[in-house]
Amino acid sequence: MYFGKGSWKSFEQGAEKEWLVANGLGGYAAGTVIGANASKYHGLLVAALNPPVERVVLLAKLDEQVEAGGITYNLASNQTNGEVTHFGYVHLQRVIIDPLPCFIYSFSDITMEKHVFMLRDQNTTVILYRFYNGALPATLRFTPLVNCRDFHHNTYYGQLNFNSQPLKRGVAVSAVSGVPPLKIISSAGRFNKRDDWYKGMYYARERERGLNPYEDHFMPGYFEVKIDSGEVKTITVVATIEEKFPADQIAANGEGYLLQEKVRLEQLQAQAGYSEPLARQLVWAADSFIVHRRSTGTKSVIAGYPWFNDWGRDTMIALPGLTLITRRFEDAREILSTFARYCKDGLLPNMFADGDREPLYNTVDASLWYFQAVYKFLEYTGDFDFIRSEIFPVLRDIIYCHVRGTHFNIKADEDGLLQAGSPSLQLTWMDAKVNDWVVTPRHGKPVEINALWYNALCVYEKLCRHYGEIFPYGDLPGKVENSFIKQFWYSDAGILYDVIGPDGKKDAKLRPNQIIAVSLPHSMLSKNKSMIILRRVWQELYATYGLRSLSLRDPEYKGVYTGDQLCRDGAYHQGTVWGWLIGPFISAYRRINAYSPASREQAERFIAPFIDHLRDHGVGFISEIFDGNEPVKPRGTFAQAWSVAEVLRAYVEDVLEIKPGRG
């Protein structure tokens, strides 16, 4: 993807597009295409001290200046105290994301390229400059803006005592006990120590989210590199907290490490086997979410960058797109095995806790989505032996515990339907809560939970048959099917009720949860009912990049997701558009229309807007959420795992019609 000056006619326009590179540990580097930090989550090195969590902002950015012929060209872009104070983006000529970011600056008769990438499985960022000098000698100066704080927080002058120690080709900076020193090394030039602070950096993203938008950064000094007239010079800067690979060794071979990372990414493309640009870009995007978790010693899935951790529900929904469509079958096995190992009383973890603490299990749908992930895994791999030996006993336990009853009031009722939660305990994906205010109460029998419950029973029954075992629950799937149709079908409105409360009260709000009941491989709905539901969802919930979480005709509909936490959480599931829901929507549409050529063309029209979206918000990624109101502005995390995964899965399976194959 190529961007030119038309993408940053103003500071504000350029700051809307964010880039990301990740290291496979939960650490990352991110910023805007114009080089400004517009969020407290931006930084050139955000290290995961306890992968994939305990993320710490260490190197916020590098601000560059070039002096030639007595003129100083400031390449830095910053907002300070709410105003643009550094306009370096005017010298920015092009930005290339392929998928690693490259920033090309042009001024006088000088061109400078700036490449940013991370080393895999290291908390190390490499910034590689290629300097094409003009007719006059020049001096490149770059100043590190350093921090040492949890990436959710802000730092201010006087809060931390930074200690900077000059190194042979750079500097080591420390501030907080338990956080390794940040080493910044340059392959050329010299470091000039001069302690100072950059005060009042302004983050427009945080202002938009109703949070404190100001921060100060420590500056330990600056690097200075002399460049002869007409010289083409490569300067490699390494920012790291690692000891196993000396920073000066990396700096001495920056080009080699850049090539190594490019080769790794191309190998992922070759493994996936797609030639279409959209599929290729999403395969690259998928790689960023698959991370190593130290506490389990296995792979996990980061739910979204920059601020989410790894969650069970998100992992199971995203697993087919991230690991099966991309043919990363070993990663899929590892993730399925990990969650099997941590299954407790029939529940999969909602979230792994930091360190050695027990995971949190407060979710009803992670365990049910697990069955769907296993089903898709078998479609793509046919590895029934692995499922039999490691996963099938866990599936048996999940069904048993749900029938008998387990934590959080999760239990199959006498009618076979699954109930869960309480007025103060929300267990579905629509779980926004502000203090004691439950924004979308869905305790009782939620529609998608019972659709997933039926699907899980059917998957388990088929596996029992395949392995020559007796399905111990008789006609429970049939009982669930009959109860579901009888209780959830709202014929007058042509929809499914969203929730049936403990008192039998039925919630008739039009929400997207019912599309899951249409899209799952084992559905209780007739073709006619499915078609009616799909049409209502399309008319009132579809919004270009996903489905609204509530009908725009509902009096409680909130069409804009912005403001402080109260405002944002109040809109999160009350109208906000969710990108991941486009996947089940497209799959449901194709199946209902018998995979006709016309339905394939329409599915392609559903996918097409995402090609444009890849150039907006998170460049090369798909956002978490969008406003329900036009123009459906992207919000939330700029790179969301299940959004990327479900768009990729639906595109490959339902548009390209590349069906699961045994690998």
Side-chain angles (χ1 to χ4, degrees):
M1 285 179 282
Y2 301 86
F3 300 87
K5 287 182 172 292
S7 296
W8 46 85
K9 294 177 181 177
S10 68
F11 183 100
E12 290 73 20
Q13 183 185 7
E16 289 180 349
K17 302 180 189 301
E18 301 173 68
W19 58 269
L20 168 79
V21 292
N23 66 356
L25 297 176
Y28 66 87
T32 65
V33 295
I34 60 171
N37 285 10
S39 167
K40 65 184 177 183
Y41 295 99
H42 288 160
L44 284 177
L45 178 57
V46 182
L49 302 184
N50 183 23
V53 293
E54 294 183 19
R55 282 165 283 186
V56 175
V57 176
L58 292 166
L59 178 59
K61 66 198 303 268
L62 293 177
D63 277 353
E64 300 93 357
Q65 287 185 342
V66 174
E67 183 180 337
I71 300 175
T72 298
Y73 302 90
N74 186 359
L75 308 185
S77 296
N78 293 307
Q79 280 187 309
T80 308
N81 295 322
E83 301 291 336
V84 179
T85 49
H86 297 102
F87 293 81
Y89 68 92
V90 301
H91 300 302
L92 185 62
Q93 188 179 66
R94 299 182 79 202
V95 174
I96 302 171
I97 310 288
D98 190 30
L100 301 174
C102 172
F103 309 88
I104 303 172
Y105 292 86
S106 178
F107 44 95
S108 184
D109 56 351
I110 298 170
T111 300
M112 188 185 80
E113 296 178 0
K114 177 181 180 180
H115 301 260
V116 180
F117 63 99
M118 299 191 81
L119 299 191
R120 195 67 177 175
D121 299 324
Q122 287 193 53
N123 284 307
T124 301
T125 300
V126 181
I127 304 96
L128 187 147
Y129 298 96
R130 290 198 187 103
F131 202 96
Y132 303 85
N133 200 16
L136 299 173
T139 301
L140 168 65
R141 297 186 183 92
F142 51 90
T143 301
L145 275 63
V146 173
N147 217 307
C148 190
R149 48 90 172 164
D150 182 284
F151 72 158
H152 292 306
H153 300 158
N154 299 63
T155 295
Y156 303 100
Y157 173 74
Q159 284 185 335
L160 297 176
N161 293 318
F162 286 91
N163 177 31
S164 59
Q165 296 295 327
L167 302 175
K168 182 178 179 181
R169 289 193 174 274
V171 63
V173 185
S174 58
V176 177
S177 175
V179 178
L182 168 66
K183 296 184 289 293
I184 308 172
I185 301 293
S186 175
S187 64
R190 64 188 180 92
F191 177 74
N192 299 281
K193 186 178 184 326
R194 187 180 67 187
D195 291 358
D196 201 354
W197 281 80
Y198 188 107
K199 297 180 181 178
M201 182 171 285
Y202 177 79
Y203 300 137
R205 288 282 190 281
E206 307 313 317
R207 172 67 77 191
E208 185 180 88
R209 299 173 64 231
L211 301 174
N212 188 340
Y214 298 105
E215 178 159 47
D216 303 333
H217 296 289
F218 176 68
M219 298 186 296
Y222 63 94
F223 290 82
E224 190 172 65
V225 182
K226 301 292 185 180
I227 302 165
D228 292 335
S229 60
E231 183 180 7
V232 177
K233 192 177 187 69
T234 298
I235 305 108
T236 301
V237 180
V238 179
T240 185
I241 59 171
E242 303 287 351
E243 292 292 344
K244 58 182 177 179
F245 289 101
D248 53 357
Q249 174 185 319
I250 300 169
N253 189 27
E255 295 274 11
Y257 283 101
L258 176 59
L259 178 61
Q260 178 179 298
E261 180 61 7
K262 287 183 175 180
V263 168
R264 186 188 73 83
L265 293 169
E266 284 302 323
Q267 288 173 341
L268 293 178
Q269 294 289 2
Q271 181 175 327
Y274 306 115
S275 59
E276 295 77 9
L278 176 60
R280 288 174 60 84
Q281 183 59 54
L282 293 179
V283 167
W284 277 329
D287 178 62
S288 298
F289 300 104
I290 300 173
V291 298
H292 173 78
R293 169 165 273 282
R294 179 180 290 171
S295 65
T296 64
T298 56
K299 292 285 185 8
S300 189
V301 172
I302 284 287
Y305 291 98
W307 54 70
F308 285 139
N309 293 347
D310 47 342
W311 294 343
R313 173 192 301 120
D314 297 57
T315 297
M316 292 306 123
I317 293 173
L319 185 142
L322 298 186
T323 66
L324 302 179
I325 296 294
T326 60
R327 304 187 69 80
R328 298 174 67 152
F329 300 139
E330 285 305 316
D331 289 338
R333 288 185 182 91
E334 195 168 310
I335 293 168
L336 290 174
S337 293
T338 298
F339 277 86
R341 194 163 77 244
Y342 283 88
C343 185
K344 178 182 178 183
D345 298 327
L347 299 178
L348 261 63
N350 184 34
M351 182 187 298
F352 286 102
D354 297 349
D356 298 325
R357 290 179 296 154
E358 184 177 83
L360 303 176
Y361 289 88
N362 56 329
T363 174
V364 64
D365 47 1
S367 304
L368 303 177
W369 278 112
Y370 190 64
F371 283 81
Q372 178 62 10
V374 169
Y375 177 85
K376 294 296 289 185
F377 175 82
L378 288 171
E379 272 195 328
Y380 275 85
T381 69
D383 193 350
F384 283 89
D385 291 341
F386 163 72
I387 296 300
R388 179 71 180 89
S389 62
E390 295 194 35
I391 307 302
F392 185 67
V394 176
L395 301 182
R396 179 193 297 123
D397 185 60
I398 291 173
I399 297 294
Y400 172 76
C401 290
H402 280 63
V403 170
R404 182 195 62 183
T406 186
H407 305 285
F408 310 116
N409 302 320
I410 299 172
K411 185 181 187 301
D413 202 356
E414 293 181 359
D415 56 10
L417 297 176
L418 201 64
Q419 59 187 10
S422 66
S424 60
L425 187 62
Q426 299 303 303
L427 305 176
T428 75
W429 76 282
M430 289 188 168
D431 56 359
K433 186 177 180 181
V434 183
N435 299 322
D436 294 329
W437 176 38
V438 176
V439 182
T440 51
R442 302 190 71 239
H443 60 284
K445 300 173 182 176
V447 63
E448 83 281 9
I449 299 305
N450 280 282
L452 287 163
W453 172 232
Y454 176 77
N455 186 68
L457 288 169
C458 292
V459 170
Y460 180 61
E461 185 176 29
K462 286 184 176 181
L463 288 175
C464 284
R465 198 157 49 241
H466 183 87
Y467 295 131
E469 296 196 7
I470 296 173
F471 179 71
Y473 300 104
D475 192 33
L476 180 58
K479 185 177 184 180
V480 172
E481 179 178 6
N482 292 332
S483 297
F484 185 89
I485 298 300
K486 181 179 179 181
Q487 297 188 45
F488 278 97
W489 177 243
Y490 182 18
S491 58
D492 291 347
I495 63 171
L496 297 174
Y497 288 107
D498 189 60
V499 183
I500 298 174
D503 57 358
K505 184 178 179 182
K506 298 180 178 182
D507 182 357
K509 289 185 178 300
L510 178 55
R511 296 189 183 276
N513 302 301
Q514 58 195 293
I515 205 66
I516 295 170
V518 182
S519 67
L520 288 169
H522 304 94
S523 176
M524 298 167 281
L525 298 166
S526 66
K527 181 178 179 180
N528 182 56
K529 286 184 174 64
S530 296
M531 184 68 78
I532 294 170
I533 291 168
L534 182 78
R535 182 60 60 176
R536 285 294 308 278
V537 168
W538 191 354
Q539 290 172 342
E540 298 187 37
L541 300 182
Y542 173 72
T544 302
Y545 301 115
L547 301 182
R548 295 182 179 93
S549 45
L550 182 63
S551 169
L552 74 174
R553 299 178 183 176
D554 194 285
E556 296 184 8
Y557 169 79
K558 302 286 190 302
V560 177
Y561 179 86
T562 190
D564 60 19
Q565 184 178 353
L566 182 66
C567 293
R568 286 183 284 114
D569 283 349
Y572 207 35
H573 300 115
Q574 293 290 83
T576 296
V577 173
W578 288 77
W580 76 273
L581 291 169
I582 200 70
F585 177 72
I586 290 174
S587 295
Y589 180 85
R590 291 241 50 207
R591 189 172 68 182
I592 291 168
N593 288 280
Y595 299 96
S596 67
S599 71
R600 181 183 180 276
E601 291 175 3
Q602 179 57 52
E604 191 167 14
R605 287 192 286 271
F606 286 136
I607 286 289
F610 289 96
I611 299 173
D612 305 316
H613 175 63
L614 290 178
R615 297 176 56 83
D616 189 23
H617 206 196
V619 176
F621 294 89
I622 298 174
S623 303
E624 174 196 9
I625 53 176
F626 304 79
D627 284 344
N629 289 354
E630 297 294 348
V632 198
K633 184 175 180 179
R635 305 283 188 179
T637 62
F638 60 79
Q640 188 76 1
W642 59 7
S643 298
V644 168
E646 276 299 280
V647 171
L648 177 58
R649 184 199 60 76
Y651 179 54
V652 169
E653 292 185 347
D654 296 313
V655 176
L656 301 181
E657 294 187 333
I658 300 174
K659 300 302 181 183
R662 302 289 170 82

